Structure formats: C-alpha cells, structure tokens
Amino acid sequence: MEKFVIHGGKPLHGTVQISGAKNAAVALVAATILCDEPCVLENVPEISDITKCMKILREMGAEVRLLDKNTIYFDTKGIEKPEVPYELARTMRASCYFLGTLLGRFHEAFVPMPGGCDLGDRPIDQHLKAFKALGASDEIVNGANHVTADELVGNQIYFDFVTVGATMNAIFAAVKAKGLTIIENAAKEPHIVDLANFLNSMGADIRGAGTDVIKIRGVDYLKGVTYATIPDQIEAGTYMVAAAATKGDVVIANVIPKHLESITAKLRKVGVNVEESDESVHVWVDGPLMKTSIKTMPHPGFPTDMQPQFSTLLTLAEGTSIVTDDIFDNRFRYVAELRRMGADISVDGKVAVIQGVGKLKGAPVVATDLRAGAAMVIAGLAAEGTTEIDNIFYIERGYEKIDEKLRGLGADIQRVYKPDANEMELSG
Ligand code: EPZ
C-alpha cells in the first residue's frame, strides 16, 4: 500500500504549474461519445479518474490514444453498444456522464449506479428528471440505470436545486435532441462553461453557459476538433492554501484568476496576501492568520471542494471560525483525522466550529476522500514532525503528481510503499 510521508514545518516557496481541471476533463472525455469525428483533448490532467474514463471508452470499442501525457486522441465511432462496464463505472461519480452522452447519441444508455467520493447520499434524481423531460424513460436493471428514448425532443428543464452533474447531463442529452431545450436553475461552474465551449467548437448551439439559464438548439452533426481543458481551480486553490498554511511564498501558475475569486477573497480575509497576474496568483504570508466564517455555495460562491483544505488552514488561525457545508450530507469525515494532529474542531451536522491552535503535530492519518486527502497533505506540510498519510489513491484521483509538485516547492514529502496490516499477515 502506498503512503505519503511528510516531514512538516517547512515554508513552501517557488512556482507550481497547475494542470487541467479534473471536473472539466471527465465531462469532456465523456462528451467525445457525441462527436461524429475523431477529436483531441489537450491539457488533460494525468490522474486516475481520467485513466478510468479512457478504459471505459476503450472497453466500449472506442480508439483512445495518449499523444503525450496530457494530450489524448479519441475516435468513438467504434462504440456499438451503449453499455458501460460495471466494475469500472461503479468506482467513479463521473461515470454518470456516460448516461447523458450515450443517451444523446444512441437514444439508449446502460450505466451502473455511480460511485465516487463518499460524501453522503448522492442520488441522480435530477439527472433522470432532465432525461425524462426530453422524452426518455428509466429503469434500474441489475444495479444499473437503463435509460431509453424513441427520440429526444427539446423541452424546458427546471432543476429543483443547483446540481453540476445534472446540468452536465442535461446538456449531453439535449445537444442533438430535436428543437430547443431551456435549462433553468443551471449550475454555473467554470467546467460547465468549458463543456459548452468544447461542444460549440464542434458545431453545437449552446448559449448561456455560466448563467442559470442555458438554451440549447439540437444539431445533427458534431465535427472533430482539438480543444484544451481549462486549468483546475480546485488544484490551484489547494496550493494557495498550502502556501498559506506553511507561511510560504508561492506563485501558482497557469490559472484563470477569475475562477479563483471566492478562494482569493477568503484568503485575504484571514490575512493572507494574494496578488493576481494574467495567468498566475502570488500567495505569501507576513502576519498572523485570522478567524473567519465560511458557507459553501454553488459557483461563484465558495466551493465545497475547497472546504476541507480551508478548514485545515483555519485550525491554525487565531480565534474561532465557523464552517458550514450543506452541499453534501457529510463532508467533515476528515475532522477526526485532523484531531489526531491536535486540531480543535467540533462538528454538528453540516457545521464545524474550529478553535485555532498554535500548531499541528505530525501523526499517522488516512485520506477519507479526494479533497480530505488534500487537507491531510496540507496539515502534514504545516505540522511539526512527521505525518504518514494512508489511502493516497483517493488523492491520486484528482491531483497530478502532487508529491513531485510539492517537492518542487521545497516540501519534504516522499511516496513510500508500506505493506498494510493484512498484507503483513499474508507475508507473515
Ligand atoms: C460535482 O459532483 C463534482 N464532481 C464534485 O467534485 C463537486 O463537489 C460537486 O460537483 C459540487 O460542485 C465532478 O464534477 C465529477 P452536484 P456532483 O450534482 O455533480 C445532490 C471533487 O472533489 N444531488 O452538484 O455529484 C448531491 O447529492 C468532487 O472534485 C441530488 O440530490 O455534484 C449533492 O448533495 C467531489 N440529486 C448536491 O446535490 C441529483 O440528481 C450537489 O451535487 C444530483 C445531485
């Protein structure tokens, strides 16, 4: 079992290059199913969720070739059956995007119920609501969603609440439907806009992405293109917080500062310096960290995907901070791990009360999901002493070469192989 071992207490310094956005790339890769010609995606992050999406496409009959570690060639005309392999799909939330893209192309999709980070119940009722509005029907067969439609006809879709995944899937299903689809109460994340730009470059007709009303006129044909994924706003935010937590001085390069506005505002609120340039942000600390309150919101609000990382920073701030995250049922599972390092946090439902402590102390901890794992890395970098992080496969789902990038900033972080308990028994 691989672990990260971090000797903390060293301020980060230097420049880090941000990779392509995971939550954009997984949608763009799924969208290649809708393309009638071969296409190329650039600036794709080298992460395990993308590797899984590539495997799913290959198993369905598509040709998928790495042109280099971040550039991928797709020719999906070889896909004949709109059916996603069970074992691969159930481990990843983004597998639900194959529902929308296979339905959009074949008018049928057979996709295992999605998996992904355990953040509580993550139903897909709004996804199915969108499909039904366009004329599809759904049934559960052997633990999979089977969605079919004689034809897909444009309609109005009004989401009961803002949902990124369902907005993505509504776009997938509508882009080749007959006539006009209007999506209301749509998610406005940068990765929604990136998907619309990708599909429009192929000849789709999608207007209003990035606002809460998206209008889509169905088209018959989508031509092949080469398209570059946007930079990852959450990876960038993670390094910004790591720089702050270690009282470092870091330039985070290859970013779109506008996508980071809510993170930048909160960092400045707690006393961190953030200077924006065209394609980078400079983060440094020259004073104490101060308390604040955070409530996660859909974009452009403070992102839930930055909550564990920022809460970790607040364990080092002076005073009492309040963090409310009601986007998911339970996104505080990492708090028990932070307590092992001396953090003083109490959680009541979707609210965490954080009493700042002078310092954190290294300890053996585990990553409980992707962003919780990133929070453990930040805690280890800031802590005195040694921190061992287990279950780093969660972290590898969404952060390209995080240990290499951190060593480039002066961190003492190593990836080591340590047989876990049952492996020890077997070897014993
Ligand atoms: C996407 O998940 C991201 N994943 C998540 O990032 C991110 O936290 C989330 O959006 C919010 O920004 C990908 O893009 C692959 P939602 P998604 O639909 O689409 C509930 C990360 O760390 N809901 O906006 O699943 C849902 O349970 C990951 O990169 C329904 O009840 O998020 C959640 O409580 C973690 N029914 C809330 O809405 C539905 O049909 C928001 O979910 C759909 C969602």
Side-chain angles (χ1 to χ4, degrees):
M1 181 71 85
E2 285 192 316
K3 297 174 189 267
F4 284 147
V5 177
I6 300 174
H7 299 292
K10 297 174 177 55
L12 299 182
H13 55 84
T15 299
V16 61
Q17 294 293 332
I18 296 304
S19 303
K22 160 180 112 62
N23 290 344
V26 292
L28 300 187
V29 169
T32 61
I33 288 174
L34 291 161
C35 190
D36 294 290
E37 298 175 0
C39 54
V40 174
L41 280 176
E42 297 175 332
N43 198 36
V44 181
E46 193 184 5
I47 55 176
S48 59
D49 269 12
I50 292 298
T51 309
K52 271 186 205 151
C53 287
M54 290 165 65
K55 270 190 193 157
I56 288 172
L57 286 175
R58 285 188 180 122
E59 288 217 6
M60 288 199 289
E63 183 190 353
V64 181
R65 263 187 294 122
L66 271 179
L67 303 182
D68 66 41
K69 72 180 185 64
N70 300 110
T71 307
I72 311 173
Y73 167 91
F74 299 88
D75 182 349
T76 60
K77 70 173 176 302
I79 295 177
E80 285 158 5
K81 276 178 68 185
E83 191 170 328
V84 170
Y86 198 91
E87 277 322 306
L88 272 174
R90 60 176 298 173
T91 62
M92 192 174 55
R93 177 74 181 176
S95 58
C96 65
Y97 292 161
F98 292 105
L99 271 175
T101 51
L102 291 170
L103 180 68
R105 172 169 160 185
F106 295 99
H107 292 176
E108 183 180 13
F110 194 89
V111 180
M113 306 287 274
C117 287
D118 179 6
L119 306 174
D121 184 21
R122 297 176 77 179
I124 61 166
D125 55 295
Q126 298 297 302
H127 302 237
L128 299 175
K129 173 179 182 172
F131 298 151
K132 288 172 188 164
L134 301 181
S137 58
D138 160 69
E139 59 173 339
I140 304 290
V141 178
N142 296 332
N145 284 102
H146 184 216
V147 188
T148 54
D150 295 334
E151 64 172 353
L152 292 170
V153 179
N155 198 348
Q156 187 186 23
I157 299 167
Y158 192 94
F159 287 127
D160 301 343
F161 45 83
V162 173
T163 149
V164 169
T167 302
M168 294 278 202
N169 257 336
I171 293 171
F172 291 139
V175 77
K176 288 186 160 180
K178 287 186 173 36
L180 175 65
T181 295
I182 300 176
I183 304 170
E184 309 221 34
N185 206 12
K188 300 183 271 195
E189 272 69 6
H191 25 299
I192 302 278
V193 178
D194 208 26
L195 173 66
N197 290 341
F198 177 47
L199 292 168
N200 282 340
S201 69
M202 294 182 198
D205 182 351
I206 305 167
R207 301 159 200 268
T211 74
D212 46 14
V213 179
I214 300 176
K215 293 184 179 175
I216 303 168
R217 285 194 184 285
V219 296
D220 295 329
Y221 193 86
L222 294 175
K223 67 183 187 329
V225 294
T226 294
Y227 186 84
T229 313
I230 53 170
D232 194 315
Q233 68 185 125
I234 305 301
E235 185 195 18
T238 301
Y239 284 100
M240 293 167 78
V241 170
T246 59
K247 300 201 180 328
D249 184 328
V250 176
V251 173
I252 292 96
N254 184 30
V255 299
I256 299 173
K258 178 150 183 55
H259 292 171
L260 305 173
E261 280 178 343
S262 62
I263 302 164
T264 296
K266 273 299 169 194
L267 282 170
R268 287 173 174 158
K269 186 98 173 357
V270 301
V272 176
N273 301 292
V274 182
E275 192 176 77
E276 295 174 341
S277 304
D278 288 350
E279 297 183 341
S280 64
V281 290
H282 177 200
V283 178
W284 76 99
V285 176
D286 52 15
L289 293 173
M290 293 170 294
K291 66 181 171 47
T292 190
S293 292
I294 288 181
K295 178 169 172 41
T296 62
M297 298 289 285
H299 192 79
F302 189 87
T304 175
D305 291 348
M306 279 300 302
Q307 180 266 104
Q309 303 92 308
F310 213 99
S311 298
T312 300
L313 179 68
L314 293 174
T315 67
L316 298 166
E318 293 175 355
T320 304
S321 299
I322 310 286
V323 177
T324 305
D325 190 347
D326 55 15
I327 300 278
F328 289 101
D329 291 341
N330 178 6
R331 200 159 198 177
F332 290 110
R333 291 175 57 221
Y334 65 92
V335 167
E337 299 303 309
L338 281 182
R339 288 198 194 107
R340 295 170 190 277
M341 302 177 73
D344 180 351
I345 309 182
S346 59
V347 176
D348 179 7
K350 300 184 176 182
V351 181
V353 178
I354 304 171
Q355 306 285 358
V357 294
K359 63 180 181 335
L360 294 174
K361 297 186 287 301
V365 294
V366 298
T368 53
D369 65 61
L370 164 58
R371 305 304 173 183
M376 294 303 109
V377 171
I378 291 170
L381 292 169
E384 287 178 359
T386 302
T387 298
E388 277 194 17
I389 304 172
D390 211 340
N391 292 355
I392 62 171
F393 59 87
Y394 278 120
I395 304 172
E396 314 262 64
R397 289 189 50 200
Y399 288 92
E400 178 175 328
K401 299 191 179 355
I402 188 169
D403 49 332
E404 252 180 64
K405 291 189 180 186
L406 285 170
R407 281 194 293 273
L409 294 173
D412 181 348
I413 175 171
Q414 297 304 319
R415 175 195 299 265
V416 299
Y417 175 78
K418 290 203 168 182
D420 59 17
N422 51 20
E423 283 175 298
M424 302 280 268
E425 269 168 37
L426 286 173
S427 61

